[in-house]
Amino acid sequence: MKSTRKILIAIGALLALVVVLLAVLPVLFAKKIESRVKAEMNRNLEARVDWQDAGLGLFRNFPNLTLRLDDLTAVGVGKFQHDTLASIRQLRVVVDLASAIRNATGGRSPIVVRAVELERPRLSLVALEDGTANWDITKKDSAREPEAGRPLAVSLQRFAIDGGTVSLDNRAARLRASVLGLDQTLTGDFGNDQVAVETRAHADSVTLEFAGIPYLNRVRLDLTANAAADLAKKSFALRQGTGLRLNDLLLAVSGTVTSAGERLGLDLAFGAPKTDFKHILSLVPEVYAKDFQTVRTTGAVAVAGRVKGDYGDKAFPSFSVRTKVDNASFRYPDLPLPARDIFLDLSLTNPGGSADNTVVNLSRFHAVVGSNPIDAGLVLRTPISDPDVDARFKGTIDLADVRRTVKLDRVRELTGSIAADAAIRTRMSWVDKGAFDRVAARGTVDIRDFAVKSEALPRPLSIQEASLQLAPRRAELRSFTGTVGKSDIQASGALDNLLGYLLRDDDLRGTATVSSRTFDLNEWRSDEGELSVIPVPPHIDFALEAQVGRLLYDRLTMTNARGRLRVKDQRLTLENFSVNTLGGEVALNGFYETTVPAKPAFDVGLKLQRIDIPSAVQQLNTVRLFAPVAKYARGNFSADLRVNGGLGKNMMPLYQQLTGNGALQTSQVAIQDFPALDKLASVTKLDILNDPTLRAISSKFEIRDGRLHIQPFSVGIAGTTMTVSGSNGLDQSLQYDLALRVPRSMLGGEANQAIGGLVSKAAGAGFNLQAAPEIPLGIQLTGTVTNPSIKVDLATAAGSAAQAAGDVLKEAAASQVDSAKLKAAAEAQRLVAEAEKQASSIRAEAQALAGKVKAEGYQQADSLEARSGGNALARVAAAAAADRLRKETDSKSARIVQEADARATALVAEARKKAAAPAP
């Protein structure tokens, strides 16, 4: 019994030791193996490779070690220094444990890699027009650093990808491809020269485009490949059972692939051993996506192809692919119409040497949908260097028949017709050089009563009529009338580069005149009621002359919007664009861009004329945030400013990021119930600060760091002057300095008490303080808009008064004036003060009269526009007459103010002249 217990204890101790070793060994070797992997990568790759975290464990692939690298990235250098070539959620490298221990303890044997596993890799492969590729990151032998570390051997038995994404943009070959949801396993004992290789691959979606023509569009792919590999000769021979499935189309593949230097030798054949029309039809995404298994088809199909030759640097293999469909049809059992009489003969051929030698020949396409036949053909040569196009299309498509033939699950409504009879024969070089006498282009495309409602569209789209006419030089949009949601659109214009846009990814250039009676941008709101980002489309270069009678945005209603719009490089530029809104006019110059769709940006210059302050506060959040005093103001303002920044997903400015500057002018402004002035009036006992009326303001400002910074400016207020400077923030905080000069007789409260002592002291010396009638007050305004904090600098006021008194006493002593002269001086000061009071009254009455005249004139102008009716010419004439009336009103109001100011100035000057006269 005791011996059994000892044995169990020994076994338990041994197991514990094993567990401890399994836990400790990875810790001992983790840093060495991690640094070894990083050294090998940096030694062999021309890229910046890094990862967030690393780990080493024995349990996942026991008895081998598993090195784990989390969030690995490879960023290019040189021409691709800002591009991420690869990002991998997790890379796992399985290492032979014995080789790792020998290497770590000083042996010269290599670390042996058994498996590589990639979890959620994202590869972005780009080749530039000059042939430079971002995936060519392996250092040349001559450029490698001398090997300082111990050797690293690869004896793979397994390679796996889980959830990969691959994009390819080969600009030199005009080849684009994307692979989504890629899962792949590759197995084989690569430690031997002769290897039986098996690979299985699946992709949720594959898209392939060559020379502007899509060949695969969101196709599911499955690959099963078995090959006999001779690693010594670098050759792979595909065995029976190798197949490629594209949706429901199964292609058998046979042949060999060899590697010689940087070239691949290809000798492959493929074809469809058992194919009916349904398998070819599965490559159409709209058909395959919905109830495809229920589709009934007829017709014969043939698919065959071959690739032979070298592929690599300055080498391109020959290939031929042909697909032929004879008299096919398909029909959904629960839809009323079939698509019938389908014929297709498509071939792609290339004799080798260059991808530019490819010839695409769609010699025939014919189909009948409903009762309308459709015919098309295409020949495309030299697709890379100089696309040579011969294309034709003829037919009428009844869109209601399309919906009765094909299941369009996300489309709720589809009606109307598209009729086309067009042909083009040209080379792109002829178009580029303007040799339009060599271009053959004719035909029309007409759309009638088109209407679509779809989940893919934010609002219903309808086109009452549109007509496009092809000509050698350009495509003329003779007419376009339609609606997007509730917004109507009318347009005409021309497309100057339709072929380059279709075949070579050039920008689509054009000009157009666009008008709308009402355009509602609020229809772009999301389901949550917020505006969503309105993207500016890429590859568009359009110049638009636009006029919108009524433009709606958020809570803002704008009328008579007109100006020039330029769409280019995903940027919408406004040139001399203006609208009438908020009781005045706004002119805009600037841009809005969505080059980064998630981060729209803008940079706009604004010129605002006669904007009603209460309306601006009610409609514009920016005014409420940056000018909180406007909430308590009545009047109008004009401004000239430039502001830039970013927009959020709801198309509202990101206020903390806004920067800008400008100038502001106001007419006479009445302030009511502004907490800061109310509190200042309570502290100083100055009645003039209770709901004051401010004279015209002219100031400059800057927006930065979430605050509006005001440069110092002076404003008249009830016969006194206030100087203002400081800033307020988005958080409604206030940081302002006010300097107020008021007659001493108006001072109340603590200020009057503080100066009272000075008055008594001066009187004892025979000094009348009325000789210094104005007292300056320094005021600090802090806190928030609704809870302000006031600090009055009384010491400054007292000091200024004392200085004034001291100056007068010194002058009296030096001149030995008597009390009679002092009384005369006091009388002179009284005369001046009385004149200034009368002058202030004259100016105030003039301001009131000018305001009344202006209000009446503007009311007449508005009434004139309102009576113009619905006729466009009448509206234009009325708007011009109203503008003239407003200008005349402005001029008349200004003359009233100027004449009153001149009379007031003369009155004060006369009083000062009398005060300066010698006493009798």
Side-chain angles (χ1 to χ4, degrees):
M1 187 67 176
K2 291 183 178 180
S3 60
T4 302
R5 186 168 57 186
K6 289 181 179 180
I7 292 173
L8 291 176
I9 292 173
I11 293 174
L14 181 60
L15 290 175
L17 178 61
V18 171
V19 172
V20 170
L21 287 174
L22 291 177
V24 171
L25 282 175
V27 176
L28 295 176
F29 300 119
K31 289 298 181 182
K32 291 186 177 181
I33 294 180
E34 180 186 357
S35 62
R36 190 75 193 94
V37 171
K38 182 170 287 190
E40 286 294 327
M41 287 183 174
N42 290 329
R43 190 174 66 85
N44 289 281
L45 302 179
E46 289 282 3
R48 300 194 304 274
V49 180
D50 201 1
W51 48 80
Q52 292 295 322
D53 192 19
L56 194 65
L58 273 167
F59 295 103
R60 186 182 184 95
N61 291 282
F62 185 80
N64 295 315
L65 285 171
T66 301
L67 173 65
R68 186 197 78 249
L69 303 178
D70 293 335
D71 296 322
L72 181 141
T73 59
V75 179
V77 297
K79 295 181 179 179
F80 305 101
Q81 60 180 335
H82 299 298
D83 297 338
T84 299
L85 167 63
S87 64
I88 304 172
R89 176 65 186 86
Q90 189 175 93
L91 169 66
R92 294 185 293 272
V93 181
V94 181
V95 177
D96 178 76
L97 176 60
S99 69
I101 293 175
R102 288 194 300 269
N103 190 280
T105 54
R108 296 297 300 171
S109 59
I111 298 176
V112 179
V113 177
R114 297 296 189 191
V116 176
E117 300 170 349
L118 283 67
E119 181 180 320
R120 289 167 56 188
R122 298 179 64 89
L123 306 180
S124 179
L125 309 177
V126 178
L128 303 179
E129 287 80 356
D130 61 4
T132 306
N134 71 338
W135 63 82
D136 186 14
I137 60 175
T138 303
K139 290 182 178 179
K140 307 300 185 223
D141 291 340
S142 59
R144 289 190 183 182
E145 300 172 0
E147 186 174 350
R150 299 183 180 91
L152 180 69
V154 178
S155 181
L156 274 179
Q157 295 177 348
R158 184 174 182 273
F159 175 80
I161 295 175
D162 180 16
T165 298
V166 181
S167 65
L168 170 66
D169 183 6
N170 190 330
R171 300 169 191 174
R174 298 193 63 210
L175 176 68
R176 292 180 178 176
S178 66
V179 180
L180 306 178
L182 175 63
D183 298 326
Q184 181 177 4
T185 59
L186 175 69
T187 59
D189 189 356
F190 290 90
N192 301 317
D193 288 343
Q194 303 295 324
V195 185
V197 179
E198 293 185 2
T199 185
R200 302 288 184 270
H202 167 82
D204 294 334
S205 174
V206 176
T207 297
L208 177 65
E209 178 185 300
F210 174 60
I213 299 176
Y215 291 95
L216 298 176
N217 186 12
R218 306 191 309 275
V219 171
R220 188 190 70 193
L221 178 146
D222 290 281
L223 172 67
T224 300
N226 301 304
D230 187 334
L231 298 184
K233 296 180 180 180
K234 297 183 180 179
S235 67
F236 298 82
L238 298 179
R239 292 176 173 173
Q240 187 175 3
T242 297
L244 176 65
R245 181 181 292 275
L246 305 172
N247 284 349
D248 270 28
L249 176 62
L250 178 62
L251 300 174
V253 185
S254 61
T256 61
V257 178
T258 60
S259 176
E262 294 184 355
R263 292 188 178 185
L264 289 177
L266 305 174
D267 188 357
L268 301 172
F270 56 90
K274 181 182 179 182
T275 303
D276 59 34
F277 180 65
K278 187 173 183 178
H279 299 150
I280 289 288
L281 189 65
S282 73
L283 300 183
V284 180
E286 287 74 14
V287 176
Y288 189 69
K290 187 67 176 177
D291 296 338
F292 178 72
Q293 298 305 321
T294 67
V295 176
R296 301 169 184 170
T297 63
T298 64
V301 179
V303 179
R306 187 173 187 87
V307 181
K308 187 176 180 63
D310 289 344
Y311 176 78
D313 186 30
K314 298 181 181 179
F316 196 85
S318 65
F319 68 83
S320 64
V321 181
R322 185 175 185 184
T323 301
K324 189 172 183 181
V325 177
D326 282 326
N327 197 23
S329 69
F330 72 89
R331 180 173 184 174
Y332 288 89
D334 54 346
L335 290 182
L337 294 179
R340 55 189 174 83
D341 300 341
I342 300 173
F343 293 85
L344 179 129
D345 194 344
L346 173 66
S347 67
L348 284 78
T349 58
N350 189 311
S354 170
D356 199 34
N357 295 329
T358 302
V359 176
V360 180
N361 186 3
L362 176 63
S363 58
R364 184 186 186 191
F365 174 80
H366 176 84
V368 177
V369 178
S371 59
N372 297 311
I374 302 169
D375 290 278
L378 169 70
V379 177
L380 174 64
R381 300 180 177 87
T382 57
I384 299 174
S385 63
D386 185 14
D388 183 349
V389 183
D390 187 354
R392 64 188 187 280
F393 182 93
K394 183 176 183 180
T396 299
I397 301 175
D398 186 324
L399 297 173
D401 285 346
V402 171
R403 199 177 179 204
R404 289 192 287 263
T405 302
V406 179
K407 290 193 173 184
L408 304 174
D409 191 42
R410 302 182 65 190
V411 177
R412 300 188 300 273
E413 178 185 334
L414 185 63
T415 59
S417 66
I418 301 175
D421 184 358
I424 297 174
R425 171 71 180 91
T426 186
R427 283 181 173 271
M428 282 304 305
S429 59
W430 300 345
V431 176
D432 293 339
K433 295 176 182 178
F436 295 106
D437 57 322
R438 308 182 69 178
V439 177
R442 61 158 186 83
T444 58
V445 179
D446 294 304
I447 301 175
R448 292 287 183 274
D449 301 322
F450 171 83
V452 59
K453 294 180 180 179
S454 170
E455 295 177 11
L457 297 174
R459 291 293 177 267
L461 171 65
S462 67
I463 302 174
Q464 285 73 52
E465 64 92 17
S467 180
L468 183 71
Q469 183 171 15
L470 299 183
R473 184 178 295 272
R474 60 176 57 183
E476 297 283 349
L477 180 63
R478 295 184 296 184
S479 63
F480 180 97
T481 302
T483 60
V484 178
K486 299 177 183 177
S487 305
D488 64 284
I489 303 173
Q490 300 81 43
S492 62
L495 304 177
D496 294 333
N497 193 33
L498 185 59
L499 284 178
Y501 175 72
L502 295 174
L503 297 176
R504 203 172 53 189
D505 295 332
D506 290 349
D507 289 351
L508 179 61
R509 297 191 301 271
T511 57
T513 299
V514 181
S515 64
S516 173
R517 291 184 295 274
T518 299
F519 200 93
D520 190 355
L521 289 171
N522 294 313
E523 292 191 315
W524 294 83
R525 291 181 183 272
S526 65
D527 294 336
E528 291 75 26
E530 292 185 336
L531 290 171
S532 56
V533 173
I534 303 174
V536 182
H539 302 300
I540 299 294
D541 183 355
F542 258 60
L544 306 175
E545 293 290 341
Q547 184 166 355
V548 182
R550 188 163 171 262
L551 182 63
L552 307 177
Y553 177 73
D554 198 20
R555 294 172 295 178
L556 195 62
T557 298
M558 296 165 276
T559 60
N560 195 23
R562 65 274 186 199
R564 182 179 175 86
L565 290 81
R566 180 72 182 272
V567 181
K568 185 178 182 181
D569 299 330
Q570 293 186 273
R571 173 182 285 189
L572 173 63
T573 302
L574 302 175
E575 300 173 359
N576 299 321
F577 193 85
S578 61
V579 298
N580 297 114
T581 187
L582 301 175
E585 183 179 63
V586 179
L588 303 93
N589 286 278
F591 66 81
Y592 159 78
E593 67 179 7
T594 56
T595 50
V596 181
K599 297 180 179 179
F602 71 96
D603 187 335
V604 179
L606 296 158
K607 191 169 186 178
L608 302 96
Q609 297 288 337
R610 305 182 303 275
I611 301 300
D612 180 64
I613 295 175
S615 298
V617 171
Q618 182 180 5
Q619 303 294 339
L620 300 177
N621 193 47
T622 304
V623 173
R624 291 195 297 274
L625 289 173
F626 280 109
V629 68
K631 178 181 178 181
Y632 308 93
R634 299 294 182 270
N636 62 62
F637 73 94
S638 297
D640 196 346
L641 71 149
R642 184 121 204 144
V643 62
N644 59 77
L647 298 173
K649 293 181 180 180
N650 59 355
M651 289 292 286
M652 298 302 289
L654 301 174
Y655 294 107
Q656 289 289 353
Q657 300 177 13
L658 287 183
T659 59
N661 57 72
L664 173 76
Q665 299 84 38
T666 73
S667 61
Q668 183 171 282
V669 175
I671 305 295
Q672 295 179 352
D673 302 324
F674 183 36
L677 285 182
D678 289 348
K679 194 163 188 178
L680 181 58
S682 175
V683 170
T684 62
K685 298 300 187 288
L686 286 172
D687 292 338
I688 62 173
L689 297 178
N690 286 317
D691 297 339
T693 296
L694 307 181
R695 294 182 61 187
I697 296 173
S698 179
S699 67
K700 294 183 179 181
F701 61 87
E702 182 181 3
I703 299 173
R704 54 182 165 83
D705 303 325
R707 300 189 70 83
L708 178 72
H709 298 264
I710 302 292
Q711 295 183 16
F713 71 92
S714 297
V715 58
I717 175 172
T720 67
T721 301
M722 179 185 291
T723 301
V724 181
S725 64
S727 69
N728 55 266
L730 292 172
D731 57 359
Q732 302 295 282
S733 63
L734 303 173
Q735 293 180 0
Y736 278 98
D737 292 321
L738 311 179
L740 184 63
R741 301 185 66 86
V742 296
R744 192 202 143 279
S745 60
M746 293 184 182
L747 287 175
E750 294 179 286
N752 200 32
Q753 295 175 13
I755 296 176
L758 293 174
V759 173
S760 300
K761 184 177 180 181
F767 174 69
N768 187 345
L769 199 61
Q770 296 298 330
E774 285 190 340
I775 303 299
L777 296 180
I779 303 163
Q780 292 180 358
L781 174 58
T782 57
T784 65
V785 174
T786 57
N787 187 23
S789 178
I790 301 292
K791 182 180 179 182
V792 179
D793 190 352
L794 297 174
T796 301
S800 299
Q803 181 180 355
D807 290 343
V808 173
L809 287 173
K810 289 177 182 179
E811 183 180 351
S815 305
Q816 297 182 351
V817 295
D818 55 19
S819 60
K821 290 185 176 181
L822 287 175
K823 289 180 179 179
E827 177 63 18
Q829 292 293 338
R830 188 191 65 76
L831 290 174
V832 172
E834 182 66 25
E836 288 180 339
K837 184 176 180 181
Q838 292 179 20
S840 177
S841 178
I842 291 172
R843 291 189 177 101
E845 290 174 359
Q847 288 285 356
L849 178 60
K852 183 178 178 181
V853 170
K854 193 169 187 178
E856 291 175 352
Y858 272 57
Q859 184 177 4
Q860 293 176 11
D862 294 341
S863 176
L864 184 62
E865 285 186 317
R867 296 197 305 269
S868 63
N871 183 273
L873 292 176
R875 289 201 307 271
V876 172
D883 284 342
R884 286 196 300 273
L885 182 56
R886 292 189 184 98
K887 291 178 180 178
E888 292 171 0
T889 299
D890 290 342
S891 178
K892 187 175 181 180
S893 299
R895 285 198 303 273
I896 292 173
V897 174
Q898 290 171 358
E899 291 172 359
D901 188 67
R903 283 190 285 115
T905 301
L907 181 65
V908 173
E910 180 64 22
R912 292 185 184 279
K913 182 177 179 181
K914 290 181 180 180

